[in-house]
Amino acid sequence: MVLSYKNLWKTLIDKSVKKGELCKKTGISTSTLSKMNKNEPVSLAIILKICECLECEIEDVVTVVKKD
């Protein structure tokens, strides 16, 4: 199983929020955002900050998918 942040990128588009703006609003670093771009794990605390900022559910940010 692997993480996918595709839903986050879609949510950002739907809410007209740029990645840099998300970093500023949540206080997450650009290196954390880079990890998310590579579908690498980040802490649940970061995901919760994003959910609070975007006023969305956790599944709007991250999903778990089966590895091929």
Side-chain angles (χ1 to χ4, degrees), residues 29-63:
S29 68
T30 54
S31 62
T32 298
L33 201 62
S34 178
K35 284 183 178 183
M36 295 173 87
N37 273 322
K38 298 174 190 172
N39 289 324
E40 295 176 1
V42 298
S43 77
L44 188 54
I46 300 243
I47 293 170
L48 291 174
K49 280 184 186 181
I50 292 170
C51 289
E52 288 175 1
C53 174
L54 298 176
E55 298 178 349
C56 66
E57 301 295 324
I58 196 166
E59 56 270 7
D60 296 326
V61 175
V62 64
T63 55

